[in-house]
């Protein structure tokens, strides 16, 4: 057997794995909050209270925590302070670099939405559960600053990153 025959088998296995994962994304639901909306896959559910307290023991845990298997999506909405979005973005990014020194940062960017801007960055982190992939994103509404996160095992980031990006692009401010 030639060397590239093995490569073909690996490619076929990878394609089947991706197709199986894609089946999960056929249904989605639009969530509407006070000041914005977004589209999230239908199979995300609210994290139960026991898990919320275990995973986020601090008092200021995210107000919205959705899970889908081993991925999570969170939103925290806080009253806007005087600092602008860029300052808040850099403060959080610096805190992650300080607290998780081994983190590896990759892309960052801006997504323009009506009357606001979403700032985001992605990184690989190391936690109790192993290596994870995370995207943090920030945007302002009229009254609130929103911090969102997506997280999945690092071994699955190539599958989840496009879906996470789609969710960010689906964000719309409510008029």
């Amino acid at each position: 057997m030639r060397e590239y025959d093995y490569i073909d088998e690996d490619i076929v296995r990878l394609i089947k794995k991706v197709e199986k994962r894609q089946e999960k994304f056929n249904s989605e639901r639009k969530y509407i909050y006070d000041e914005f909306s977004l589209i999230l896959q239908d199979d995300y559910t609210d994290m139960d209270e026991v898990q919320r307290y275990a995973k986020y023991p601090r008092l200021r845990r995210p107000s919205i925590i959705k899970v889908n298997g081993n991925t999570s999506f969170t939103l925290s909405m806080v009253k806007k302070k005087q600092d602008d979005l860029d300052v808040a973005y850099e403060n959080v990014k610096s805190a992650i670099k300080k607290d998780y020194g081994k983190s590896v940062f990759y892309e960052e960017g801006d997504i323009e939405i009506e009357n606001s801007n979403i700032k985001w960055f992605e990184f690989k982190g190391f936690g109790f559960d192993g290596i994870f992939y995370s995207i943090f994103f920030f945007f302002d509404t009229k009254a609130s600053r929103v911090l969102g996160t997506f997280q999945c095992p690092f071994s699955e980031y190539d599958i989840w990153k496009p879906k996470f990006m789609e969710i960010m692009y689906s964000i719309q401010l409510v008029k």
Side-chain angles (χ1 to χ4, degrees):
M1 192 172 258
R2 294 172 290 188
E3 182 180 331
Y4 59 82
D5 288 337
Y6 293 109
I7 294 172
D8 290 344
E9 291 172 6
D10 289 341
I11 291 171
V12 169
R13 267 194 301 277
L14 181 61
I15 289 170
K16 286 181 180 179
K17 180 180 176 184
V18 169
E19 286 174 347
K20 187 177 179 183
R21 288 290 179 138
Q22 291 294 22
E23 291 173 8
K24 287 184 162 183
F25 303 120
N26 289 338
S27 61
E28 54 193 21
R29 180 182 304 152
K30 186 169 189 172
Y31 289 88
I32 301 174
Y33 301 102
D34 289 343
E35 298 182 76
F36 65 95
S37 68
L38 58 84
I39 296 174
L40 192 62
Q41 286 83 10
D42 215 12
D43 49 359
Y44 272 88
T45 59
D46 291 326
M47 181 181 276
D48 70 53
E49 287 299 312
V50 173
Q51 289 178 320
R52 289 171 73 93
Y53 285 93
K55 184 163 181 158
Y56 301 96
R58 63 189 188 280
L59 291 175
R60 299 193 69 189
R61 71 186 49 83
S63 51
I64 298 168
I65 305 171
K66 303 272 188 190
V67 293
N68 173 0
N70 54 7
T71 69
S72 65
F73 166 73
T74 69
L75 288 172
S76 298
M77 289 157 277
V78 297
K79 187 176 178 182
K80 274 198 279 193
K81 296 182 180 176
Q82 295 301 326
D83 61 351
D84 68 3
L85 190 61
D86 291 329
V87 172
Y89 171 88
E90 289 301 329
N91 287 343
V92 170
K93 195 171 176 185
S94 294
I96 291 170
K97 286 179 180 179
K98 180 181 173 189
D99 293 344
Y100 303 99
K102 292 182 179 181
S103 294
V104 179
F105 287 81
Y106 298 110
E107 290 184 66
E108 59 184 78
D110 295 287
I111 299 171
E112 289 187 30
I113 60 175
E114 188 176 335
N115 299 321
S116 193
N117 190 38
I118 300 171
K119 298 189 71 62
W120 65 272
F121 63 87
E122 63 179 342
F123 67 97
K124 173 172 68 172
F126 303 85
F128 295 119
D129 298 339
I131 302 171
F132 63 90
Y133 170 78
S134 191
I135 294 179
F136 276 54
F137 64 97
F138 309 77
F139 64 95
D140 285 340
T141 65
K142 286 182 183 175
S144 302
R145 173 151 299 144
V146 181
L147 165 62
T149 66
F150 300 110
Q151 197 171 69
C152 69
F154 188 76
S155 61
E156 297 179 12
Y157 89 92
D158 57 334
I159 296 167
W160 286 102
K161 180 182 178 181
K163 295 299 171 188
F164 294 160
M165 296 301 290
E166 285 178 25
I167 294 166
M168 282 193 296
Y169 276 99
S170 78
I171 295 170
Q172 296 179 342
L173 298 182
V174 174
K175 294 180 182 182

